[in-house]
């Protein structure tokens, strides 16, 4: 499909972005990536407009009302990072019934009419336990840091941790706290429970909380466990510092905030008339190891997150790969 053909089909169409949360570095990087790619598409006259709307809270009714408002405003497509996998389905169905293309990503929705761009968070979480098992074959006590309650992401991560524990029963989660994918929140939550915990050999989490967890252990005067990281610049910088100082080893993995740009292009391609796009598209996660973290760190902005921004051609390839599956 030529660029001219793309412009002919979608140049008068508008795509809205409904986002339920912007309270951490991953979400800020997501909004920045989405804004840059969507604005370029507007400038290139591929679409007529792309507006971003973030709710004032993390509550489902607020986002449902926002989606209903976007329906009334006549957008041709709505990209959604959803507060709940199920509770928004009514509003999503209303959008589909109005002829609006709905693409969810990261926090997905289960309404069949919507498209879903997903990272396999459940597999990622299980991989955290697999990694710890390679480092700690005798197992031990783990602390779990969860994300924003009620989201599909939090559910998938938690279920993946459970999968990993079944595979490696020598590990046991001795406590679980809510970190909201935020360093400060995670630090406070971990600091609250640390005094009551036995020696912890590992921290499993969802991203955005590794550095906060490390600071809580430091303040408590407890030895650092193996803390799984989530590709944030501050935690990777801490890891590199510790690696140079004492050989500290861990692993880092997360979805790229730029997955939002893949969702944008999926919406644009559906609007362009493509009929072969599956409703479930998987985007691989990014991971860094002891061998790759130092080279990656300088490329991540201070306060930012490692990411990828997808072009239209990139997105076509991922869509094609999903069609093959």
């Amino acid at each position: 499909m030529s660029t001219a053909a793309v412009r002919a089909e979608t140049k008068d169409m508008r795509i809205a972005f409904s986002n339920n949360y912007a309270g951490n570095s991953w979400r800020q990087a997501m909004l920045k990536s989405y804004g840059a790619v969507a604005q370029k598409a507007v400038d290139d006259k591929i679409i007529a407009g792309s507006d971003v709307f973030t709710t004032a809270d993390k509550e489902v009714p607020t986002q449902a009302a926002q989606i209903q408002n976007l329906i009334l405003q006549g957008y041709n497509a709505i990209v959604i990072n959803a507060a709940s996998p199920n509770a928004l389905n009514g509003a999503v169905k209303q959008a589909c019934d109005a002829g609006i293309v709905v693409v969810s990503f990261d926090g997905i929705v289960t309404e069949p009419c919507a498209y879903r761009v997903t990272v396999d968070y459940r597999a990622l979480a299980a991989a955290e336990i697999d990694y710890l098992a390679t480092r700690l074959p005798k197992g031990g006590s783990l602390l779990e840091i969860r994300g924003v309650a009620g989201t599909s992401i939090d559910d998938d991560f938690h279920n993946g941790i459970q999968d990993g524990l079944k595979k490696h029963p020598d590990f046991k989660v001795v406590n679980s706290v809510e970190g909201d994918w935020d360093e400060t929140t995670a630090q406070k939550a971990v600091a609250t429970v640390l005094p009551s915990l036995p020696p912890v050999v590992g921290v499993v989490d969802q991203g955005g909380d590794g550095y906060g967890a490390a600071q809580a252990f430091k303040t408590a005067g407890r030895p650092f466990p193996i803390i799984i990281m989530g590709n944030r610049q501050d935690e990777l910088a801490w890891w590199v510092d510790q690696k140079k100082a004492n050989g500290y080893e861990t692993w880092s993995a997360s979805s790229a905030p730029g997955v939002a740009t893949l969702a944008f292009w999926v919406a644009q391609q559906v609007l362009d008339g493509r009929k072969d796009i599956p409703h479930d598209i998987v985007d691989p996660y990014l991971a860094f190891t002891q061998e790759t973290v130092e080279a990656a760190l300088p490329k991540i902005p201070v306060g930012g997150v490692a990411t990828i921004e997808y072009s239209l051609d990139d997105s076509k390839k991922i869509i094609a790969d999903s069609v093959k599956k």
Side-chain angles (χ1 to χ4, degrees), residues 17 26-27 29-31 33-34 37 79-81 103-108 116-121 153 254-267 281-286 306-311 315 318:
F17 179 14
W26 194 96
R27 289 293 180 111
M30 173 198 76
L31 292 168
S33 291
Y34 184 93
V37 169
V79 173
I80 301 176
N81 197 335
V103 180
S104 64
F105 76 97
D106 191 45
I108 60 169
R116 286 161 290 279
V117 178
T118 64
V119 170
D120 193 341
Y121 291 117
I153 310 159
S254 179
S255 59
V259 65
T261 63
L262 175 57
F264 169 83
W265 287 119
V266 169
I281 298 168
V282 177
D283 182 42
Y285 59 79
L286 290 176
T307 192
I308 298 170
E309 290 178 358
Y310 293 97
S311 67
S315 301
I318 292 173

Side-chain angles (χ1 to χ4, degrees), residues 115-160:
Y115 293 81
R116 286 161 290 279
V117 178
T118 64
V119 170
D120 193 341
Y121 291 117
R122 187 164 182 163
L124 193 166
E128 293 186 17
I129 306 293
D130 288 341
Y131 170 77
L132 290 175
T134 66
R135 295 283 313 285
L136 303 164
K138 295 182 179 179
S141 297
L142 305 179
L143 172 64
E144 179 184 9
I145 306 178
R146 299 193 61 165
V148 173
T151 62
S152 64
I153 310 159
D154 181 62
D155 291 342
D156 287 347
F157 261 104
H158 178 68
N159 290 332

Side-chain angles (χ1 to χ4, degrees), residues 3 6-7 10-11 15 31-52 261 264-265 268 309-313:
T3 302
V6 171
R7 292 176 182 173
T10 62
K11 66 181 178 63
I15 300 174
L31 292 168
K32 183 177 179 181
S33 291
Y34 184 93
V37 169
Q39 185 56 52
K40 188 175 188 304
V42 173
D43 294 343
D44 290 343
K45 302 189 185 307
I46 295 174
I47 60 170
S50 181
D51 301 309
V52 177
T261 63
F264 169 83
W265 287 119
Q268 186 275 328
E309 290 178 358
Y310 293 97
S311 67
L312 176 56
D313 287 340

Side-chain angles (χ1 to χ4, degrees), residues 171-187:
F171 288 103
K172 179 183 179 182
V173 170
V174 293
N175 208 321
S176 178
V177 299
E178 290 186 8
D180 284 356
W181 311 316
D182 174 67
E183 303 288 10
T184 302
T185 305
Q187 181 175 348

Side-chain angles (χ1 to χ4, degrees), residues 65-289:
Q66 181 188 78
I67 293 168
Q68 290 163 342
N69 189 42
L70 297 176
I71 295 170
L72 294 175
Q73 291 184 47
Y75 284 94
N76 302 96
I78 303 173
V79 173
I80 301 176
N81 197 335
S84 166
N86 302 311
L88 287 172
N89 283 348
V92 169
K93 184 66 163 56
Q94 290 177 34
C96 292
D97 289 346
I100 298 169
V101 172
V102 177
V103 180
S104 64
F105 76 97
D106 191 45
I108 60 169
V109 296
T110 55
E111 165 54 47
C113 72
Y115 293 81
R116 286 161 290 279
V117 178
T118 64
V119 170
D120 193 341
Y121 291 117
R122 187 164 182 163
L124 193 166
E128 293 186 17
I129 306 293
D130 288 341
Y131 170 77
L132 290 175
T134 66
R135 295 283 313 285
L136 303 164
K138 295 182 179 179
S141 297
L142 305 179
L143 172 64
E144 179 184 9
I145 306 178
R146 299 193 61 165
V148 173
T151 62
S152 64
I153 310 159
D154 181 62
D155 291 342
D156 287 347
F157 261 104
H158 178 68
N159 290 332
I161 295 297
Q162 297 303 308
D163 293 341
L165 294 174
K166 290 176 184 176
K167 183 178 177 183
H168 304 287
D170 289 333
F171 288 103
K172 179 183 179 182
V173 170
V174 293
N175 208 321
S176 178
V177 299
E178 290 186 8
D180 284 356
W181 311 316
D182 174 67
E183 303 288 10
T184 302
T185 305
Q187 181 175 348
K188 292 178 180 177
V190 173
T192 299
V193 300
L194 267 183
S196 65
L197 299 184
V200 172
V201 299
V203 175
V204 289
D205 49 46
Q206 303 182 8
D209 31 43
Y211 182 72
Q215 296 310 297
F217 275 85
K218 179 181 178 181
T219 301
R222 297 184 61 153
F224 294 124
I226 299 174
I227 304 171
I228 303 298
M229 302 299 180
N231 296 358
R232 275 65 169 173
Q233 186 273 339
D234 54 1
E235 59 188 9
L236 297 185
W238 178 86
W239 173 12
V240 169
D241 287 344
Q242 294 297 310
K243 176 185 175 184
K244 292 177 179 177
N246 53 47
Y248 185 83
E249 293 185 40
T250 188
W251 183 67
S252 182
S254 179
S255 59
V259 65
T261 63
L262 175 57
F264 169 83
W265 287 119
V266 169
Q268 186 275 328
Q269 286 286 279
V270 176
L271 289 175
D272 194 46
R274 284 193 61 171
K275 304 297 184 184
D276 63 335
I277 299 177
H279 277 255
D280 292 281
I281 298 168
V282 177
D283 182 42
Y285 59 79
L286 290 176
F288 299 105
T289 66

